[in-house]
Every structure is written in C-alpha cells, then in structure tokens.
PDB file of all heavy atoms in Angstrom:
ATOM      1  N   SER F  30     -68.714 -27.148 -20.916  1.00 92.00           N
ATOM      2  CA  SER F  30     -69.722 -26.084 -20.893  1.00 92.00           C
ATOM      3  C   SER F  30     -71.037 -26.492 -21.548  1.00 92.00           C
ATOM      4  O   SER F  30     -71.990 -25.709 -21.559  1.00 92.00           O
ATOM      5  CB  SER F  30     -69.179 -24.837 -21.607  1.00 92.00           C
ATOM      6  OG  SER F  30     -68.868 -25.136 -22.959  1.00 92.00           O
ATOM      7  N   THR F  31     -71.101 -27.716 -22.083  1.00 93.00           N
ATOM      8  CA  THR F  31     -72.301 -28.177 -22.780  1.00 93.00           C
ATOM      9  C   THR F  31     -73.199 -28.967 -21.842  1.00 93.00           C
ATOM     10  O   THR F  31     -72.757 -29.952 -21.244  1.00 93.00           O
ATOM     11  CB  THR F  31     -71.927 -29.069 -23.982  1.00 93.00           C
ATOM     12  OG1 THR F  31     -71.114 -28.322 -24.887  1.00 93.00           O
ATOM     13  CG2 THR F  31     -73.181 -29.552 -24.709  1.00 93.00           C
ATOM     14  N   LEU F  32     -74.438 -28.529 -21.699  1.00 96.00           N
ATOM     15  CA  LEU F  32     -75.424 -29.245 -20.910  1.00 96.00           C
ATOM     16  C   LEU F  32     -76.107 -30.244 -21.832  1.00 96.00           C
ATOM     17  O   LEU F  32     -76.978 -29.888 -22.632  1.00 96.00           O
ATOM     18  CB  LEU F  32     -76.438 -28.275 -20.304  1.00 96.00           C
ATOM     19  CG  LEU F  32     -77.530 -28.885 -19.416  1.00 96.00           C
ATOM     20  CD1 LEU F  32     -76.919 -29.620 -18.217  1.00 96.00           C
ATOM     21  CD2 LEU F  32     -78.502 -27.807 -18.957  1.00 96.00           C
ATOM     22  N   ALA F  33     -75.705 -31.516 -21.743  1.00 96.00           N
ATOM     23  CA  ALA F  33     -76.228 -32.550 -22.639  1.00 96.00           C
ATOM     24  C   ALA F  33     -77.593 -33.057 -22.194  1.00 96.00           C
ATOM     25  O   ALA F  33     -78.476 -33.282 -23.023  1.00 96.00           O
ATOM     26  CB  ALA F  33     -75.241 -33.711 -22.733  1.00 96.00           C
ATOM     27  N   LEU F  34     -77.764 -33.273 -20.882  1.00 97.00           N
ATOM     28  CA  LEU F  34     -79.040 -33.717 -20.322  1.00 97.00           C
ATOM     29  C   LEU F  34     -79.421 -32.784 -19.185  1.00 97.00           C
ATOM     30  O   LEU F  34     -78.613 -32.535 -18.284  1.00 97.00           O
ATOM     31  CB  LEU F  34     -78.942 -35.159 -19.809  1.00 97.00           C
ATOM     32  CG  LEU F  34     -78.565 -36.233 -20.833  1.00 97.00           C
ATOM     33  CD1 LEU F  34     -78.470 -37.600 -20.156  1.00 97.00           C
ATOM     34  CD2 LEU F  34     -79.546 -36.267 -21.985  1.00 97.00           C
ATOM     35  N   ASP F  35     -80.644 -32.300 -19.225  1.00 96.00           N
ATOM     36  CA  ASP F  35     -81.093 -31.280 -18.285  1.00 96.00           C
ATOM     37  C   ASP F  35     -82.304 -31.798 -17.510  1.00 96.00           C
ATOM     38  O   ASP F  35     -83.443 -31.621 -17.923  1.00 96.00           O
ATOM     39  CB  ASP F  35     -81.438 -30.006 -19.059  1.00 96.00           C
ATOM     40  CG  ASP F  35     -81.816 -28.844 -18.153  1.00 96.00           C
ATOM     41  OD1 ASP F  35     -81.673 -28.971 -16.920  1.00 96.00           O
ATOM     42  OD2 ASP F  35     -82.257 -27.809 -18.686  1.00 96.00           O
ATOM     43  N   ASP F  36     -82.031 -32.508 -16.393  1.00 97.00           N
ATOM     44  CA  ASP F  36     -83.101 -33.032 -15.544  1.00 97.00           C
ATOM     45  C   ASP F  36     -84.038 -33.931 -16.349  1.00 97.00           C
ATOM     46  O   ASP F  36     -85.262 -33.860 -16.226  1.00 97.00           O
ATOM     47  CB  ASP F  36     -83.871 -31.875 -14.910  1.00 97.00           C
ATOM     48  CG  ASP F  36     -84.681 -32.322 -13.688  1.00 97.00           C
ATOM     49  OD1 ASP F  36     -84.180 -33.167 -12.927  1.00 97.00           O
ATOM     50  OD2 ASP F  36     -85.814 -31.837 -13.521  1.00 97.00           O
ATOM     51  N   LEU F  37     -83.458 -34.812 -17.157  1.00 97.00           N
ATOM     52  CA  LEU F  37     -84.228 -35.683 -18.050  1.00 97.00           C
ATOM     53  C   LEU F  37     -84.987 -36.727 -17.246  1.00 97.00           C
ATOM     54  O   LEU F  37     -84.412 -37.413 -16.398  1.00 97.00           O
ATOM     55  CB  LEU F  37     -83.282 -36.374 -19.028  1.00 97.00           C
ATOM     56  CG  LEU F  37     -83.924 -37.188 -20.147  1.00 97.00           C
ATOM     57  CD1 LEU F  37     -84.592 -36.266 -21.156  1.00 97.00           C
ATOM     58  CD2 LEU F  37     -82.874 -38.055 -20.847  1.00 97.00           C
ATOM     59  N   ALA F  38     -86.285 -36.883 -17.533  1.00 97.00           N
ATOM     60  CA  ALA F  38     -87.106 -37.836 -16.779  1.00 97.00           C
ATOM     61  C   ALA F  38     -88.215 -38.405 -17.662  1.00 97.00           C
ATOM     62  O   ALA F  38     -88.980 -37.653 -18.260  1.00 97.00           O
ATOM     63  CB  ALA F  38     -87.714 -37.163 -15.551  1.00 97.00           C
ATOM     64  N   PHE F  39     -88.272 -39.747 -17.748  1.00 96.00           N
ATOM     65  CA  PHE F  39     -89.372 -40.448 -18.393  1.00 96.00           C
ATOM     66  C   PHE F  39     -89.249 -41.929 -18.032  1.00 96.00           C
ATOM     67  O   PHE F  39     -88.247 -42.364 -17.453  1.00 96.00           O
ATOM     68  CB  PHE F  39     -89.385 -40.259 -19.917  1.00 96.00           C
ATOM     69  CG  PHE F  39     -88.168 -40.787 -20.631  1.00 96.00           C
ATOM     70  CD1 PHE F  39     -88.123 -42.081 -21.134  1.00 96.00           C
ATOM     71  CD2 PHE F  39     -87.058 -39.974 -20.829  1.00 96.00           C
ATOM     72  CE1 PHE F  39     -87.021 -42.566 -21.805  1.00 96.00           C
ATOM     73  CE2 PHE F  39     -85.941 -40.448 -21.493  1.00 96.00           C
ATOM     74  CZ  PHE F  39     -85.920 -41.748 -21.980  1.00 96.00           C
ATOM     75  N   GLU F  40     -90.274 -42.715 -18.370  1.00 96.00           N
ATOM     76  CA  GLU F  40     -90.274 -44.151 -18.078  1.00 96.00           C
ATOM     77  C   GLU F  40     -90.596 -44.937 -19.336  1.00 96.00           C
ATOM     78  O   GLU F  40     -91.387 -44.494 -20.177  1.00 96.00           O
ATOM     79  CB  GLU F  40     -91.298 -44.494 -16.992  1.00 96.00           C
ATOM     80  CG  GLU F  40     -90.955 -43.946 -15.621  1.00 96.00           C
ATOM     81  CD  GLU F  40     -91.905 -44.450 -14.549  1.00 96.00           C
ATOM     82  OE1 GLU F  40     -92.833 -45.238 -14.886  1.00 96.00           O
ATOM     83  OE2 GLU F  40     -91.729 -44.071 -13.380  1.00 96.00           O
ATOM     84  N   VAL F  41     -89.969 -46.110 -19.448  1.00 96.00           N
ATOM     85  CA  VAL F  41     -90.219 -47.033 -20.555  1.00 96.00           C
ATOM     86  C   VAL F  41     -90.838 -48.300 -19.970  1.00 96.00           C
ATOM     87  O   VAL F  41     -90.177 -49.018 -19.214  1.00 96.00           O
ATOM     88  CB  VAL F  41     -88.921 -47.384 -21.300  1.00 96.00           C
ATOM     89  CG1 VAL F  41     -89.220 -48.353 -22.449  1.00 96.00           C
ATOM     90  CG2 VAL F  41     -88.224 -46.116 -21.810  1.00 96.00           C
ATOM     91  N   PRO F  42     -92.086 -48.626 -20.296  1.00 94.00           N
ATOM     92  CA  PRO F  42     -92.703 -49.858 -19.772  1.00 94.00           C
ATOM     93  C   PRO F  42     -92.012 -51.104 -20.322  1.00 94.00           C
ATOM     94  O   PRO F  42     -91.536 -51.112 -21.462  1.00 94.00           O
ATOM     95  CB  PRO F  42     -94.156 -49.767 -20.272  1.00 94.00           C
ATOM     96  CG  PRO F  42     -94.370 -48.326 -20.589  1.00 94.00           C
ATOM     97  CD  PRO F  42     -93.040 -47.814 -21.062  1.00 94.00           C
ATOM     98  N   ARG F  43     -91.963 -52.130 -19.506  1.00 94.00           N
ATOM     99  CA  ARG F  43     -91.368 -53.397 -19.930  1.00 94.00           C
ATOM    100  C   ARG F  43     -92.156 -53.995 -21.096  1.00 94.00           C
ATOM    101  O   ARG F  43     -93.371 -53.896 -21.168  1.00 94.00           O
ATOM    102  CB  ARG F  43     -91.355 -54.392 -18.774  1.00 94.00           C
ATOM    103  CG  ARG F  43     -90.712 -55.736 -19.124  1.00 94.00           C
ATOM    104  CD  ARG F  43     -90.829 -56.726 -17.984  1.00 94.00           C
ATOM    105  NE  ARG F  43     -90.256 -58.020 -18.348  1.00 94.00           N
ATOM    106  CZ  ARG F  43     -88.981 -58.358 -18.157  1.00 94.00           C
ATOM    107  NH1 ARG F  43     -88.159 -57.507 -17.575  1.00 94.00           N
ATOM    108  NH2 ARG F  43     -88.543 -59.547 -18.540  1.00 94.00           N
ATOM    109  N   GLY F  44     -91.433 -54.625 -22.025  1.00 95.00           N
ATOM    110  CA  GLY F  44     -92.069 -55.335 -23.122  1.00 95.00           C
ATOM    111  C   GLY F  44     -92.695 -54.442 -24.171  1.00 95.00           C
ATOM    112  O   GLY F  44     -93.598 -54.863 -24.879  1.00 95.00           O
ATOM    113  N   GLN F  45     -92.199 -53.206 -24.289  1.00 96.00           N
ATOM    114  CA  GLN F  45     -92.700 -52.295 -25.310  1.00 96.00           C
ATOM    115  C   GLN F  45     -91.587 -51.914 -26.281  1.00 96.00           C
ATOM    116  O   GLN F  45     -90.404 -52.008 -25.977  1.00 96.00           O
ATOM    117  CB  GLN F  45     -93.270 -51.021 -24.685  1.00 96.00           C
ATOM    118  CG  GLN F  45     -94.650 -51.167 -24.118  1.00 96.00           C
ATOM    119  CD  GLN F  45     -95.340 -49.817 -23.921  1.00 96.00           C
ATOM    120  OE1 GLN F  45     -94.810 -48.760 -24.282  1.00 96.00           O
ATOM    121  NE2 GLN F  45     -96.530 -49.847 -23.350  1.00 96.00           N
ATOM    122  N   ILE F  46     -92.009 -51.472 -27.466  1.00 97.00           N
ATOM    123  CA  ILE F  46     -91.109 -50.811 -28.407  1.00 97.00           C
ATOM    124  C   ILE F  46     -91.280 -49.317 -28.179  1.00 97.00           C
ATOM    125  O   ILE F  46     -92.377 -48.767 -28.357  1.00 97.00           O
ATOM    126  CB  ILE F  46     -91.436 -51.184 -29.853  1.00 97.00           C
ATOM    127  CG1 ILE F  46     -91.292 -52.697 -30.055  1.00 97.00           C
ATOM    128  CG2 ILE F  46     -90.512 -50.442 -30.821  1.00 97.00           C
ATOM    129  CD1 ILE F  46     -91.724 -53.181 -31.436  1.00 97.00           C
ATOM    130  N   PHE F  47     -90.214 -48.676 -27.762  1.00 97.00           N
ATOM    131  CA  PHE F  47     -90.272 -47.282 -27.301  1.00 97.00           C
ATOM    132  C   PHE F  47     -89.401 -46.415 -28.203  1.00 97.00           C
ATOM    133  O   PHE F  47     -88.221 -46.705 -28.412  1.00 97.00           O
ATOM    134  CB  PHE F  47     -89.777 -47.200 -25.858  1.00 97.00           C
ATOM    135  CG  PHE F  47     -89.937 -45.858 -25.207  1.00 97.00           C
ATOM    136  CD1 PHE F  47     -91.088 -45.552 -24.488  1.00 97.00           C
ATOM    137  CD2 PHE F  47     -88.942 -44.902 -25.299  1.00 97.00           C
ATOM    138  CE1 PHE F  47     -91.239 -44.314 -23.875  1.00 97.00           C
ATOM    139  CE2 PHE F  47     -89.071 -43.662 -24.686  1.00 97.00           C
ATOM    140  CZ  PHE F  47     -90.229 -43.369 -23.970  1.00 97.00           C
ATOM    141  N   GLY F  48     -89.974 -45.347 -28.738  1.00 97.00           N
ATOM    142  CA  GLY F  48     -89.230 -44.416 -29.577  1.00 97.00           C
ATOM    143  C   GLY F  48     -88.627 -43.301 -28.752  1.00 97.00           C
ATOM    144  O   GLY F  48     -89.319 -42.649 -27.968  1.00 97.00           O
ATOM    145  N   PHE F  49     -87.334 -43.095 -28.926  1.00 96.00           N
ATOM    146  CA  PHE F  49     -86.603 -42.039 -28.218  1.00 96.00           C
ATOM    147  C   PHE F  49     -86.128 -41.067 -29.280  1.00 96.00           C
ATOM    148  O   PHE F  49     -85.135 -41.305 -29.967  1.00 96.00           O
ATOM    149  CB  PHE F  49     -85.434 -42.678 -27.463  1.00 96.00           C
ATOM    150  CG  PHE F  49     -84.733 -41.769 -26.496  1.00 96.00           C
ATOM    151  CD1 PHE F  49     -85.419 -40.804 -25.785  1.00 96.00           C
ATOM    152  CD2 PHE F  49     -83.371 -41.899 -26.278  1.00 96.00           C
ATOM    153  CE1 PHE F  49     -84.767 -39.980 -24.888  1.00 96.00           C
ATOM    154  CE2 PHE F  49     -82.699 -41.086 -25.384  1.00 96.00           C
ATOM    155  CZ  PHE F  49     -83.404 -40.126 -24.688  1.00 96.00           C
ATOM    156  N   LEU F  50     -86.865 -39.965 -29.456  1.00 96.00           N
ATOM    157  CA  LEU F  50     -86.712 -39.113 -30.621  1.00 96.00           C
ATOM    158  C   LEU F  50     -86.154 -37.750 -30.251  1.00 96.00           C
ATOM    159  O   LEU F  50     -86.492 -37.189 -29.209  1.00 96.00           O
ATOM    160  CB  LEU F  50     -88.066 -38.938 -31.311  1.00 96.00           C
ATOM    161  CG  LEU F  50     -88.849 -40.225 -31.603  1.00 96.00           C
ATOM    162  CD1 LEU F  50     -90.162 -39.896 -32.288  1.00 96.00           C
ATOM    163  CD2 LEU F  50     -88.030 -41.201 -32.431  1.00 96.00           C
ATOM    164  N   GLY F  51     -85.321 -37.233 -31.133  1.00 93.00           N
ATOM    165  CA  GLY F  51     -84.761 -35.908 -30.952  1.00 93.00           C
ATOM    166  C   GLY F  51     -83.794 -35.621 -32.077  1.00 93.00           C
ATOM    167  O   GLY F  51     -83.283 -36.546 -32.729  1.00 93.00           O
ATOM    168  N   ALA F  52     -83.539 -34.350 -32.330  1.00 90.00           N
ATOM    169  CA  ALA F  52     -82.556 -33.980 -33.343  1.00 90.00           C
ATOM    170  C   ALA F  52     -81.165 -34.399 -32.891  1.00 90.00           C
ATOM    171  O   ALA F  52     -80.942 -34.732 -31.723  1.00 90.00           O
ATOM    172  CB  ALA F  52     -82.604 -32.466 -33.589  1.00 90.00           C
ATOM    173  N   ASN F  53     -80.202 -34.403 -33.817  1.00 88.00           N
ATOM    174  CA  ASN F  53     -78.824 -34.695 -33.439  1.00 88.00           C
ATOM    175  C   ASN F  53     -78.378 -33.729 -32.350  1.00 88.00           C
ATOM    176  O   ASN F  53     -78.611 -32.524 -32.438  1.00 88.00           O
ATOM    177  CB  ASN F  53     -77.894 -34.562 -34.644  1.00 88.00           C
ATOM    178  CG  ASN F  53     -78.089 -35.661 -35.659  1.00 88.00           C
ATOM    179  OD1 ASN F  53     -78.611 -36.721 -35.320  1.00 88.00           O
ATOM    180  ND2 ASN F  53     -77.698 -35.408 -36.894  1.00 88.00           N
ATOM    181  N   GLY F  54     -77.721 -34.269 -31.331  1.00 89.00           N
ATOM    182  CA  GLY F  54     -77.254 -33.419 -30.246  1.00 89.00           C
ATOM    183  C   GLY F  54     -78.262 -33.210 -29.142  1.00 89.00           C
ATOM    184  O   GLY F  54     -77.986 -32.497 -28.176  1.00 89.00           O
ATOM    185  N   ALA F  55     -79.450 -33.832 -29.244  1.00 93.00           N
ATOM    186  CA  ALA F  55     -80.481 -33.608 -28.233  1.00 93.00           C
ATOM    187  C   ALA F  55     -80.196 -34.337 -26.930  1.00 93.00           C
ATOM    188  O   ALA F  55     -80.767 -34.003 -25.896  1.00 93.00           O
ATOM    189  CB  ALA F  55     -81.846 -34.039 -28.774  1.00 93.00           C
ATOM    190  N   GLY F  56     -79.325 -35.373 -26.968  1.00 95.00           N
ATOM    191  CA  GLY F  56     -78.973 -36.093 -25.749  1.00 95.00           C
ATOM    192  C   GLY F  56     -79.315 -37.569 -25.765  1.00 95.00           C
ATOM    193  O   GLY F  56     -79.175 -38.249 -24.749  1.00 95.00           O
ATOM    194  N   LYS F  57     -79.734 -38.092 -26.907  1.00 95.00           N
ATOM    195  CA  LYS F  57     -80.167 -39.492 -26.980  1.00 95.00           C
ATOM    196  C   LYS F  57     -79.007 -40.454 -26.717  1.00 95.00           C
ATOM    197  O   LYS F  57     -79.130 -41.381 -25.915  1.00 95.00           O
ATOM    198  CB  LYS F  57     -80.779 -39.770 -28.348  1.00 95.00           C
ATOM    199  CG  LYS F  57     -81.923 -38.855 -28.731  1.00 95.00           C
ATOM    200  CD  LYS F  57     -82.531 -39.216 -30.054  1.00 95.00           C
ATOM    201  CE  LYS F  57     -81.561 -39.151 -31.224  1.00 95.00           C
ATOM    202  NZ  LYS F  57     -81.047 -37.782 -31.471  1.00 95.00           N
ATOM    203  N   THR F  58     -77.893 -40.257 -27.411  1.00 95.00           N
ATOM    204  CA  THR F  58     -76.746 -41.154 -27.246  1.00 95.00           C
ATOM    205  C   THR F  58     -76.184 -41.059 -25.834  1.00 95.00           C
ATOM    206  O   THR F  58     -75.811 -42.075 -25.228  1.00 95.00           O
ATOM    207  CB  THR F  58     -75.661 -40.818 -28.275  1.00 95.00           C
ATOM    208  OG1 THR F  58     -76.195 -41.012 -29.587  1.00 95.00           O
ATOM    209  CG2 THR F  58     -74.436 -41.705 -28.108  1.00 95.00           C
ATOM    210  N   THR F  59     -76.137 -39.865 -25.290  1.00 96.00           N
ATOM    211  CA  THR F  59     -75.662 -39.687 -23.922  1.00 96.00           C
ATOM    212  C   THR F  59     -76.512 -40.493 -22.947  1.00 96.00           C
ATOM    213  O   THR F  59     -75.992 -41.177 -22.057  1.00 96.00           O
ATOM    214  CB  THR F  59     -75.690 -38.197 -23.539  1.00 96.00           C
ATOM    215  OG1 THR F  59     -74.834 -37.469 -24.410  1.00 96.00           O
ATOM    216  CG2 THR F  59     -75.230 -37.990 -22.105  1.00 96.00           C
ATOM    217  N   THR F  60     -77.826 -40.438 -23.112  1.00 96.00           N
ATOM    218  CA  THR F  60     -78.731 -41.186 -22.225  1.00 96.00           C
ATOM    219  C   THR F  60     -78.474 -42.681 -22.321  1.00 96.00           C
ATOM    220  O   THR F  60     -78.401 -43.383 -21.299  1.00 96.00           O
ATOM    221  CB  THR F  60     -80.194 -40.881 -22.586  1.00 96.00           C
ATOM    222  OG1 THR F  60     -80.416 -39.472 -22.532  1.00 96.00           O
ATOM    223  CG2 THR F  60     -81.144 -41.578 -21.626  1.00 96.00           C
ATOM    224  N   MET F  61     -78.339 -43.185 -23.544  1.00 96.00           N
ATOM    225  CA  MET F  61     -78.090 -44.611 -23.723  1.00 96.00           C
ATOM    226  C   MET F  61     -76.780 -45.030 -23.064  1.00 96.00           C
ATOM    227  O   MET F  61     -76.688 -46.085 -22.429  1.00 96.00           O
ATOM    228  CB  MET F  61     -78.080 -44.962 -25.210  1.00 96.00           C
ATOM    229  CG  MET F  61     -79.443 -44.873 -25.873  1.00 96.00           C
ATOM    230  SD  MET F  61     -79.385 -45.403 -27.608  1.00 96.00           S
ATOM    231  CE  MET F  61     -81.103 -45.163 -28.090  1.00 96.00           C
ATOM    232  N   ARG F  62     -75.762 -44.224 -23.191  1.00 95.00           N
ATOM    233  CA  ARG F  62     -74.458 -44.582 -22.628  1.00 95.00           C
ATOM    234  C   ARG F  62     -74.451 -44.501 -21.107  1.00 95.00           C
ATOM    235  O   ARG F  62     -73.704 -45.227 -20.457  1.00 95.00           O
ATOM    236  CB  ARG F  62     -73.373 -43.698 -23.246  1.00 95.00           C
ATOM    237  CG  ARG F  62     -73.136 -44.035 -24.715  1.00 95.00           C
ATOM    238  CD  ARG F  62     -72.125 -43.137 -25.368  1.00 95.00           C
ATOM    239  NE  ARG F  62     -71.825 -43.613 -26.719  1.00 95.00           N
ATOM    240  CZ  ARG F  62     -71.024 -42.980 -27.568  1.00 95.00           C
ATOM    241  NH1 ARG F  62     -70.431 -41.845 -27.201  1.00 95.00           N
ATOM    242  NH2 ARG F  62     -70.797 -43.476 -28.771  1.00 95.00           N
ATOM    243  N   ILE F  63     -75.286 -43.654 -20.543  1.00 96.00           N
ATOM    244  CA  ILE F  63     -75.430 -43.658 -19.085  1.00 96.00           C
ATOM    245  C   ILE F  63     -76.156 -44.930 -18.644  1.00 96.00           C
ATOM    246  O   ILE F  63     -75.797 -45.543 -17.636  1.00 96.00           O
ATOM    247  CB  ILE F  63     -76.149 -42.383 -18.606  1.00 96.00           C
ATOM    248  CG1 ILE F  63     -75.274 -41.147 -18.857  1.00 96.00           C
ATOM    249  CG2 ILE F  63     -76.479 -42.480 -17.116  1.00 96.00           C
ATOM    250  CD1 ILE F  63     -75.955 -39.828 -18.544  1.00 96.00           C
ATOM    251  N   CYS F  64     -77.170 -45.348 -19.403  1.00 95.00           N
ATOM    252  CA  CYS F  64     -77.836 -46.619 -19.104  1.00 95.00           C
ATOM    253  C   CYS F  64     -76.822 -47.757 -19.044  1.00 95.00           C
ATOM    254  O   CYS F  64     -76.877 -48.623 -18.161  1.00 95.00           O
ATOM    255  CB  CYS F  64     -78.873 -46.942 -20.179  1.00 95.00           C
ATOM    256  SG  CYS F  64     -80.394 -45.978 -20.128  1.00 95.00           S
ATOM    257  N   LEU F  65     -75.888 -47.761 -19.975  1.00 94.00           N
ATOM    258  CA  LEU F  65     -74.927 -48.850 -20.095  1.00 94.00           C
ATOM    259  C   LEU F  65     -73.777 -48.753 -19.106  1.00 94.00           C
ATOM    260  O   LEU F  65     -72.977 -49.688 -18.984  1.00 94.00           O
ATOM    261  CB  LEU F  65     -74.361 -48.875 -21.519  1.00 94.00           C
ATOM    262  CG  LEU F  65     -75.376 -49.170 -22.624  1.00 94.00           C
ATOM    263  CD1 LEU F  65     -74.787 -48.822 -23.985  1.00 94.00           C
ATOM    264  CD2 LEU F  65     -75.794 -50.628 -22.590  1.00 94.00           C
ATOM    265  N   GLY F  66     -73.663 -47.620 -18.427  1.00 92.00           N
ATOM    266  CA  GLY F  66     -72.554 -47.441 -17.500  1.00 92.00           C
ATOM    267  C   GLY F  66     -71.285 -46.959 -18.159  1.00 92.00           C
ATOM    268  O   GLY F  66     -70.234 -46.865 -17.515  1.00 92.00           O
ATOM    269  N   ILE F  67     -71.342 -46.626 -19.440  1.00 93.00           N
ATOM    270  CA  ILE F  67     -70.182 -46.069 -20.133  1.00 93.00           C
ATOM    271  C   ILE F  67     -69.890 -44.665 -19.623  1.00 93.00           C
ATOM    272  O   ILE F  67     -68.730 -44.257 -19.496  1.00 93.00           O
ATOM    273  CB  ILE F  67     -70.430 -46.053 -21.656  1.00 93.00           C
ATOM    274  CG1 ILE F  67     -70.577 -47.484 -22.174  1.00 93.00           C
ATOM    275  CG2 ILE F  67     -69.314 -45.344 -22.396  1.00 93.00           C
ATOM    276  CD1 ILE F  67     -71.109 -47.576 -23.583  1.00 93.00           C
ATOM    277  N   LEU F  68     -70.948 -43.931 -19.339  1.00 95.00           N
ATOM    278  CA  LEU F  68     -70.847 -42.600 -18.753  1.00 95.00           C
ATOM    279  C   LEU F  68     -71.556 -42.581 -17.410  1.00 95.00           C
ATOM    280  O   LEU F  68     -72.444 -43.394 -17.159  1.00 95.00           O
ATOM    281  CB  LEU F  68     -71.491 -41.559 -19.676  1.00 95.00           C
ATOM    282  CG  LEU F  68     -70.856 -41.344 -21.053  1.00 95.00           C
ATOM    283  CD1 LEU F  68     -71.726 -40.419 -21.881  1.00 95.00           C
ATOM    284  CD2 LEU F  68     -69.454 -40.774 -20.908  1.00 95.00           C
ATOM    285  N   GLN F  69     -71.175 -41.647 -16.562  1.00 95.00           N
ATOM    286  CA  GLN F  69     -71.824 -41.444 -15.279  1.00 95.00           C
ATOM    287  C   GLN F  69     -72.611 -40.140 -15.307  1.00 95.00           C
ATOM    288  O   GLN F  69     -72.117 -39.124 -15.790  1.00 95.00           O
ATOM    289  CB  GLN F  69     -70.785 -41.395 -14.154  1.00 95.00           C
ATOM    290  CG  GLN F  69     -70.018 -42.697 -13.979  1.00 95.00           C
ATOM    291  CD  GLN F  69     -70.916 -43.852 -13.577  1.00 95.00           C
ATOM    292  OE1 GLN F  69     -71.775 -43.702 -12.712  1.00 95.00           O
ATOM    293  NE2 GLN F  69     -70.707 -45.006 -14.207  1.00 95.00           N
TER     294      GLN F  69
END
C-alpha cells in the first residue's frame, strides 16, 4: 500500500557529482536499487 516512487523523473549529466536529497523514506534507496536491477 506504500507508494515509494510516484512518476519520478530527472536526469543526471555524465561526469558530474549529483546530489540526490530527501528525508528518510522519500524514495532515494528505492531509486538506486532500481538502477542496479535489484528491484523492478
């Protein structure tokens, strides 16, 4: 019943240091794990 990511959209340019900021539970770890293929 928990909506972890809600139509999340942004871009990270190559060769940059990019800050991905949010309070605990905002969806940061979920996004990273989808990048890695751990989650779908």
